Amino acid sequence: MSPKVSIVATDSHREPGPRPGADVTFLPFADDDGIPVYDDSTPELIQELLAAGLTAGTWHPPAECEFVSSRGVLTDSLLQIGVGIGSSAGWYALQTLLRRRGGQLRVVAIFDNGTERRRAEVTGEAADVVQALTTLDPFDSEPS
């Protein structure tokens, strides 16, 4: 089954996105009475990116966040990742991390080129999501 893909231009100041100087900024997938909610895999993914020599972190200070594995029946088997992509290195590293995953994924990626912000959302089986992300390459270049 093909993944569900959507790409839209967004207001560059309405939602968190890439942090200046960061390769990957993880974004919350929900807000619970003012507390940003991140998938519980986020700290592990950040550590993997840091080990690969990239700069990565959450949009909010970790002490102010909630990290959860599910938010109910609909998300029990769905890994949700929200990211702000600040470099091609971050884009390719994220794809490499996701290639090691299985099951259902929902990836929301926000790209900001300084004049326009775009939001891409891809949902489906992990391999299909990674393939869709490969074709959406916002950096229009080959990985090094």
Side-chain angles (χ1 to χ4, degrees), residues 38-46 67-68 79-81 101:
Y38 292 80
D39 191 279
D40 71 342
S41 67
T42 302
E44 175 189 332
L45 294 171
I46 289 171
F67 296 92
V68 298
L79 173 62
Q80 300 188 78
I81 300 173
R101 305 256 172 202

Side-chain angles (χ1 to χ4, degrees), residues 11-41:
D11 181 335
S12 63
H13 301 290
R14 292 193 57 193
E15 58 187 58
R19 280 201 181 280
D23 294 306
V24 178
T25 304
F26 286 86
L27 308 174
F29 66 82
D31 183 277
D32 187 6
D33 289 326
I35 298 173
V37 179
Y38 292 80
D39 191 279
D40 71 342
S41 67

Side-chain angles (χ1 to χ4, degrees), residues 22-24 54 85-92 139:
D23 294 306
V24 178
L54 296 151
I85 303 296
S87 73
S88 59
W91 179 243
Y92 301 122
F139 297 96

Side-chain angles (χ1 to χ4, degrees), residues 128-139:
D128 295 332
V129 168
V130 171
Q131 182 58 40
L133 291 175
T134 301
T135 63
L136 293 175
D137 186 355
F139 297 96

Side-chain angles (χ1 to χ4, degrees), residues 24 49 52 54 88-100:
V24 178
L49 290 169
L54 296 151
S88 59
W91 179 243
Y92 301 122
L94 177 67
Q95 290 175 49
T96 298
L97 291 178
L98 296 179
R99 278 188 182 92
R100 298 182 209 147

